[in-house]
Amino acid sequence: MSLQPLTGAKKLRQLLKDPNNLVLCPGVYDGLTARLALSIGFDAIYMTGAGTSMSRLGWADLGLATLDNMRSNAEMIASLDPAVPVIADADTGYGGPIMVSRTVTQYARSGVAALHIEDQAQQKRCGHLLGKVIVDREEYFARLSAACQARDATESDIVIIARTDARQTYGFDEALERLQKAVEIGVDVVFFEALESKEEARKVCEVFKKTNTPVLLNMVPGGVTPAMSAQEAKEVGFRIMIVPGLCIAPVIRSVTEEMEHLKNQGTPTQLNANEGVVRGFKLCGMEECMEIDRKAGGKAYDTVGETKN
């Protein structure tokens, strides 16, 4: 229930001014994973589209999530601590230039610090899956132009990130040229999806270093791009590194184990009993809410403490 001003976009722009800084962003997809990331003290966090689709819809990332699904989730995450930038997936922008303009405007008004828009067709899929359909240059550039115009018209600090998925279908040179044109259009950051080697990564970073344009690395373990640590990514020249699936595998593994234990033993594990819900409540702002009530003269939560559940 943070009452801080919406400063995430300005903070992100400040972080990106330092050419030697790498903004490391864990992937989150709901309020609880976002709270965990905030409690660890990351400078920025990333709202994953794949995680949003799975957690909110229960479906794989195959373009089923709508603007309303994505924006409302991003707004909730950004509102938890407006001083911490949230970079959010915005897929294709959800339509032609008019819809892209609406998407950028709504994300900006929701407190999102940055969003990325890609050149896949509307029937999109995760960037590390095969079979992606890529739109032609004119359609892609129209999306980016609309995004930049919306940013400028609303006098927003929101960071526009141009993502290209063209490497798989049309090759490295075509993808690079698309991003170079994106910079001419006015985007703030470039995102070369599914780089296939560290040599490609170095070349991309070298090209955009000339225009002082930050390059984002999408680190998907087991994906197309070779594994890199944050330090390695920084040495290559990346300025932002997102790890979208960070929370997904641990949650699936641990919750499956807990449910299997309940199914087989008829009782939760001792870990579940020890943790309880109070730790979750504290993580998710219980004490902050109690303080607001107390300062306002309320007494509704004076006796809130450990629960038996």
Side-chain angles (χ1 to χ4, degrees):
M1 197 181 295
S2 176
L3 304 180
Q4 300 178 58
L6 299 178
T7 56
K10 289 183 179 179
K11 175 71 174 297
L12 181 59
R13 287 186 177 275
Q14 290 174 355
L15 291 171
L16 292 175
K17 285 182 179 179
D18 183 354
N20 298 313
N21 185 45
L22 176 75
V23 182
L24 177 61
C25 305
V28 304
Y29 54 80
D30 65 2
L32 184 56
T33 54
R35 284 285 193 179
L36 288 166
L38 292 171
S39 72
I40 298 299
F42 284 94
D43 290 334
I45 57 180
Y46 175 72
M47 188 201 80
T48 158
T52 298
S53 183
M54 287 187 281
S55 64
R56 291 180 68 90
L57 306 179
W59 289 98
D61 183 20
L62 297 173
L64 299 174
T66 65
L67 167 58
D68 288 343
N69 296 144
M70 299 287 280
R71 184 213 54 76
S72 62
N73 201 37
E75 180 178 39
M76 178 273 295
I77 292 170
S79 72
L80 297 177
D81 188 342
V84 177
V86 173
I87 300 173
D89 190 347
D91 296 318
T92 62
Y94 310 105
I98 296 173
M99 275 301 297
V100 171
S101 177
R102 184 166 180 259
T103 296
V104 171
T105 300
Q106 289 198 6
Y107 270 52
R109 290 173 176 168
S110 297
V112 175
L115 58 76
H116 60 77
I117 293 177
E118 65 203 39
D119 54 2
Q120 286 196 51
Q122 294 300 325
Q123 289 181 301
K124 59 145 290 176
R125 62 190 65 193
C126 171
H128 288 254
L129 295 178
L130 297 175
K132 292 178 288 186
V133 177
I134 307 300
V135 300
D136 61 33
R137 287 188 174 198
E138 289 69 23
E139 183 172 345
Y140 178 46
F141 297 153
R143 290 176 186 175
L144 298 180
S145 294
C148 292
Q149 289 171 24
R151 174 200 62 202
D152 297 342
T154 56
E155 299 183 351
S156 169
D157 289 310
I158 192 168
V159 174
I160 304 298
I161 304 172
R163 165 177 157 173
T164 181
D165 290 72
R167 172 68 180 86
Q168 184 186 96
T169 304
Y170 296 115
F172 178 84
D173 290 341
E174 171 65 16
L176 182 61
E177 289 175 10
R178 285 182 176 223
L179 292 182
Q180 288 176 301
K181 179 60 178 178
V183 173
E184 293 179 14
I185 290 170
V187 305
D188 302 294
V189 176
V190 294
F191 175 176
F192 194 123
E193 177 66 305
L195 288 156
E196 295 187 3
S197 68
K198 289 186 178 180
E199 288 69 31
E200 287 189 355
R202 289 191 183 91
K203 183 174 181 180
V204 170
C205 290
E206 288 172 1
V207 167
F208 291 103
K209 185 177 181 180
K210 298 174 183 177
T211 57
N212 194 31
T213 304
V215 182
L216 180 151
L217 171 64
N218 183 21
M219 197 72 266
V220 179
V224 176
T225 303
M228 279 184 261
S229 67
Q231 183 59 38
E232 289 173 323
K234 182 178 178 179
E235 291 171 355
V236 168
F238 289 103
R239 304 271 293 281
I240 304 174
M241 176 175 165
I242 60 174
V243 189
L246 183 73
C247 298
I248 295 172
V251 167
I252 292 174
R253 181 179 63 251
S254 60
V255 174
T256 297
E257 291 174 356
E258 189 69 31
M259 287 188 172
E260 288 176 342
H261 190 279
L262 178 62
K263 174 72 173 176
N264 296 329
Q265 305 298 325
T267 181
T269 65
Q270 189 60 41
L271 173 64
N272 189 294
N274 290 340
E275 295 291 327
V277 297
V278 174
R279 182 182 179 188
F281 285 173
K282 289 182 177 179
L283 177 70
C284 293
M286 181 176 72
E287 293 176 353
E288 180 184 355
C289 291
M290 291 170 63
E291 182 67 8
I292 291 172
D293 183 74
R294 186 191 66 77
K295 286 183 176 180
K299 298 181 180 180
Y301 303 102
D302 285 352
T303 58
V304 172
E306 300 296 320
T307 73
K308 295 182 180 180
N309 298 323

